[in-house]
Amino acid sequence: MKKKVLFIASTGGHLEELMQLKPMFDNYDYHIITEKTKSNLSLKKKFPNHVSFLVYGSYTTLGRKLIYPFKLMYNTIKSFFLYIKIRPKYIISTGAHTSGPMCLIGHLLGSKIIYIETFANSESKSRTGSIVYKFADLFIVQWESMLKLYPKAVYGGWIF
């Protein structure tokens, strides 16, 4: 029986990084979660029955203090229900924002958390990375220089 693995990332570059792990998918009973955008709808065709979407725009509304808490709350609640439905043994994330609640939920409910800090950061921590680092079972950086900021991390090199 294959292990259940949840792959989660925000749309854009984070999702592009996550999709570099595609060769691993067939080794697991996998599920992909990202934000729902026009460009991501094609994932449903490429990976039938393996994709779920969160509401788009949590991160993009960060500057909109009125809308942001509601989208974050909605995505957190939806993440909880998706977690219960999928019951992953492992959660693998390349960030960013939409993956934070799922990583925390998974950690609290017993999943192993593997977080890959974004390639875009070579000298500074990401917000989500800073939070998830505190409880991740494995925290991977793509730049050796990031080991100064995340001393317990593992340098994994680029996933591109």
Side-chain angles (χ1 to χ4, degrees):
M1 189 161 149
K2 293 182 178 181
K3 293 180 182 172
K4 288 187 176 186
V5 179
L6 172 61
F7 294 88
I8 184 168
S10 294
T11 194
H14 295 282
L15 180 60
E16 190 175 324
E17 286 182 52
L18 187 74
M19 296 314 290
Q20 299 305 306
L21 304 176
K22 181 181 169 187
M24 296 172 51
F25 292 178
D26 289 335
N27 298 328
Y28 303 102
D29 179 2
Y30 72 95
H31 200 86
I32 302 164
I33 297 178
T34 190
E35 295 167 307
K36 188 173 187 177
T37 66
K38 288 180 185 177
S39 61
N40 292 345
L41 292 177
S42 64
L43 289 173
K44 283 274 196 190
K45 292 177 188 167
K46 289 179 190 171
F47 306 100
N49 305 314
H50 294 278
V51 176
S52 295
F53 295 113
L54 297 173
V55 69
Y56 175 66
S58 293
Y59 186 73
T60 57
T61 57
L62 191 55
R64 297 180 170 159
K65 301 213 186 305
L66 227 66
I67 297 170
Y68 173 74
F70 295 103
K71 285 194 174 186
L72 178 63
M73 189 182 315
Y74 176 83
N75 276 345
T76 300
I77 293 166
K78 187 164 184 183
S79 291
F80 176 77
F81 285 106
L82 287 170
Y83 180 89
I84 296 302
K85 176 183 171 191
I86 299 163
R87 296 268 184 201
K89 175 90 173 142
Y90 298 91
I91 296 175
I92 300 175
S93 178
T94 51
H97 198 261
T98 55
S99 66
M102 182 63 82
C103 288
L104 182 57
I105 291 164
H107 170 70
L108 293 173
L109 296 178
S111 294
K112 299 291 183 191
I113 309 300
I114 301 169
Y115 190 88
I116 304 168
E117 179 68 301
T118 180
F119 176 79
N121 287 12
S122 63
E123 296 182 12
S124 64
K125 294 179 177 183
S126 67
R127 280 186 196 172
T128 306
S130 296
I131 296 167
V132 176
Y133 176 73
K134 296 170 185 167
F135 60 83
D137 296 284
L138 177 60
F139 194 94
I140 301 170
V141 293
Q142 298 185 61
W143 295 95
E144 221 169 336
S145 58
M146 293 298 285
L147 291 171
K148 294 174 193 164
L149 300 174
Y150 298 113
K152 293 185 281 181
V154 171
Y155 170 63
W158 302 353
I159 59 175
F160 284 103

mmCIF file of all heavy atoms in Angstrom, residues 61-70:
data_model
loop_
_atom_site.group_PDB
_atom_site.id
_atom_site.type_symbol
_atom_site.label_atom_id
_atom_site.label_comp_id
_atom_site.label_asym_id
_atom_site.label_seq_id
_atom_site.Cartn_x
_atom_site.Cartn_y
_atom_site.Cartn_z
ATOM 1 N N THR A 61 -4.189 39.420 -1.057
ATOM 2 C CA THR A 61 -5.010 40.370 -0.304
ATOM 3 C C THR A 61 -4.369 40.737 1.031
ATOM 4 O O THR A 61 -4.984 41.376 1.862
ATOM 5 C CB THR A 61 -6.427 39.805 -0.041
ATOM 6 O OG1 THR A 61 -6.301 38.574 0.638
ATOM 7 C CG2 THR A 61 -7.202 39.643 -1.319
ATOM 8 N N LEU A 62 -3.131 40.302 1.235
ATOM 9 C CA LEU A 62 -2.448 40.572 2.487
ATOM 10 C C LEU A 62 -2.460 42.057 2.836
ATOM 11 O O LEU A 62 -2.621 42.424 3.986
ATOM 12 C CB LEU A 62 -1.001 40.062 2.413
ATOM 13 C CG LEU A 62 -0.208 40.023 3.707
ATOM 14 C CD1 LEU A 62 -0.927 39.226 4.774
ATOM 15 C CD2 LEU A 62 1.163 39.424 3.446
ATOM 16 N N GLY A 63 -2.334 42.910 1.829
ATOM 17 C CA GLY A 63 -2.356 44.352 2.058
ATOM 18 C C GLY A 63 -3.750 44.897 2.312
ATOM 19 O O GLY A 63 -3.918 46.017 2.779
ATOM 20 N N ARG A 64 -4.756 44.125 2.003
ATOM 21 C CA ARG A 64 -6.149 44.542 2.223
ATOM 22 C C ARG A 64 -6.610 43.972 3.555
ATOM 23 O O ARG A 64 -7.113 42.857 3.638
ATOM 24 C CB ARG A 64 -7.027 44.032 1.095
ATOM 25 C CG ARG A 64 -6.645 44.611 -0.236
ATOM 26 C CD ARG A 64 -7.567 44.032 -1.258
ATOM 27 N NE ARG A 64 -7.417 44.711 -2.511
ATOM 28 C CZ ARG A 64 -7.792 44.180 -3.650
ATOM 29 N NH1 ARG A 64 -8.332 42.979 -3.671
ATOM 30 N NH2 ARG A 64 -7.636 44.852 -4.770
ATOM 31 N N LYS A 65 -6.450 44.744 4.565
ATOM 32 C CA LYS A 65 -6.660 44.264 5.928
ATOM 33 C C LYS A 65 -8.098 43.833 6.223
ATOM 34 O O LYS A 65 -8.331 43.052 7.125
ATOM 35 C CB LYS A 65 -6.199 45.324 6.907
ATOM 36 C CG LYS A 65 -4.728 45.657 6.725
ATOM 37 C CD LYS A 65 -4.088 46.025 8.023
ATOM 38 C CE LYS A 65 -2.671 46.494 7.881
ATOM 39 N NZ LYS A 65 -1.752 45.665 7.223
ATOM 40 N N LEU A 66 -9.072 44.306 5.462
ATOM 41 C CA LEU A 66 -10.458 43.919 5.683
ATOM 42 C C LEU A 66 -10.771 42.543 5.092
ATOM 43 O O LEU A 66 -11.461 41.742 5.714
ATOM 44 C CB LEU A 66 -11.380 44.977 5.053
ATOM 45 C CG LEU A 66 -12.524 45.448 5.921
ATOM 46 C CD1 LEU A 66 -11.995 46.195 7.125
ATOM 47 C CD2 LEU A 66 -13.441 46.314 5.122
ATOM 48 N N ILE A 67 -10.267 42.267 3.895
ATOM 49 C CA ILE A 67 -10.565 41.020 3.188
ATOM 50 C C ILE A 67 -9.683 39.872 3.656
ATOM 51 O O ILE A 67 -10.132 38.738 3.781
ATOM 52 C CB ILE A 67 -10.384 41.222 1.665
ATOM 53 C CG1 ILE A 67 -11.382 42.257 1.164
ATOM 54 C CG2 ILE A 67 -10.553 39.918 0.909
ATOM 55 C CD1 ILE A 67 -11.135 42.701 -0.257
ATOM 56 N N TYR A 68 -8.435 40.165 3.940
ATOM 57 C CA TYR A 68 -7.438 39.137 4.248
ATOM 58 C C TYR A 68 -7.860 38.160 5.347
ATOM 59 O O TYR A 68 -7.792 36.944 5.149
ATOM 60 C CB TYR A 68 -6.095 39.794 4.577
ATOM 61 C CG TYR A 68 -5.072 38.817 5.064
ATOM 62 C CD1 TYR A 68 -4.457 37.945 4.174
ATOM 63 C CD2 TYR A 68 -4.735 38.738 6.407
ATOM 64 C CE1 TYR A 68 -3.531 37.035 4.615
ATOM 65 C CE2 TYR A 68 -3.808 37.827 6.857
ATOM 66 C CZ TYR A 68 -3.207 36.971 5.958
ATOM 67 O OH TYR A 68 -2.297 36.067 6.394
ATOM 68 N N PRO A 69 -8.298 38.621 6.517
ATOM 69 C CA PRO A 69 -8.644 37.653 7.578
ATOM 70 C C PRO A 69 -9.739 36.679 7.173
ATOM 71 O O PRO A 69 -9.715 35.508 7.573
ATOM 72 C CB PRO A 69 -9.121 38.536 8.735
ATOM 73 C CG PRO A 69 -8.574 39.883 8.466
ATOM 74 C CD PRO A 69 -8.461 40.002 6.977
ATOM 75 N N PHE A 70 -10.685 37.120 6.352
ATOM 76 C CA PHE A 70 -11.782 36.247 5.933
ATOM 77 C C PHE A 70 -11.300 35.167 4.969
ATOM 78 O O PHE A 70 -11.698 34.007 5.082
ATOM 79 C CB PHE A 70 -12.920 37.070 5.326
ATOM 80 C CG PHE A 70 -13.565 37.984 6.326
ATOM 81 C CD1 PHE A 70 -13.276 39.338 6.319
ATOM 82 C CD2 PHE A 70 -14.423 37.489 7.301
ATOM 83 C CE1 PHE A 70 -13.849 40.189 7.250
ATOM 84 C CE2 PHE A 70 -15.000 38.324 8.244
ATOM 85 C CZ PHE A 70 -14.707 39.687 8.220
#
